[in-house]
């Protein structure tokens, strides 16, 4: 029996391809999103390996909920800006993977509301 570690090379880093300008524009928000994504992926790996405790699962839920809220804010801001720039319902439907009628309904519903806090965060970083 050996006491050698199973893996002798360090785990590879997950690389998120961003330009320097994109990384600078995102600032700390990019680091926060990457941290949340890393935590969610770790939780997914734990679940697949069958070794997730209830505390692990709660942390995965917390991180995925925060990530989901931010992603929804980014999506809603993009939909709002797409509409403001004259983007078509057809193009929106293709981007969303839904019918044109569904895209129209979703966009029209969004535009009737004020931007959410996460949508504001997505556009101003605050």
């Amino acid at each position: 029996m050996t006491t050698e570690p199973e893996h002798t090379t360090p785990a590879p880093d997950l690389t998120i391809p961003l330009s320097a300008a994109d990384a600078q524009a995102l600032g700390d928000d990019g680091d926060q999103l990457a941290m949340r994504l890393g935590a969610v992926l770790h939780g997914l790996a734990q679940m697949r390996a069958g070794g997730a405790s209830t505390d692990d699962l709660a942390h995965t839920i917390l991180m995925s909920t925060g990530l989901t809220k931010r992603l929804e804010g980014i999506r809603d801001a993009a939909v709002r800006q797409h509409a403001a720039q004259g983007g078509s319902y057809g193009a929106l439907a293709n981007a969303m993977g839904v019918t044109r009628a569904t895209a129209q309904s979703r966009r029209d519903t969004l535009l009737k509301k004020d931007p959410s806090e996460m949508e504001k965060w997505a556009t101003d970083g605050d």
Side-chain angles (χ1 to χ4, degrees):
M1 182 167 101
T2 179
T3 58
E4 296 274 324
E6 185 176 340
H7 300 284
T8 57
T9 58
D13 288 335
L14 176 66
T15 301
I16 300 174
L18 289 175
S19 69
D22 288 346
Q24 185 175 8
L26 293 173
D28 289 340
D29 288 333
D31 292 338
Q32 288 295 315
L33 287 167
M35 182 274 305
R36 287 179 187 278
L37 176 59
V40 169
L41 291 175
H42 176 67
L44 177 60
Q46 287 179 310
M47 288 188 293
R48 288 184 176 177
S53 70
T54 56
D55 287 343
D56 294 332
L57 295 168
H59 185 69
T60 301
I61 293 165
L62 176 69
M63 291 294 110
S64 62
T65 299
L67 185 59
T68 299
K69 287 180 180 181
R70 284 162 178 77
L71 292 173
E72 288 171 349
I74 294 166
R75 181 207 51 219
D76 290 351
V79 169
R80 194 178 297 273
Q81 289 186 14
H82 184 265
Q85 293 178 24
S88 71
Y89 290 121
L92 182 60
N94 286 337
M96 294 177 136
V98 298
T99 66
R100 185 185 177 286
T102 298
Q104 180 176 351
S105 175
R106 289 181 185 176
R107 184 174 92 176
D108 292 350
T109 299
L110 176 71
L111 295 179
K112 290 176 186 172
K113 300 184 297 188
D114 290 334
S116 67
E117 288 304 311
M118 284 292 105
E119 190 178 341
K120 291 176 189 173
W121 164 84
T123 55
D124 338 11
D126 292 331

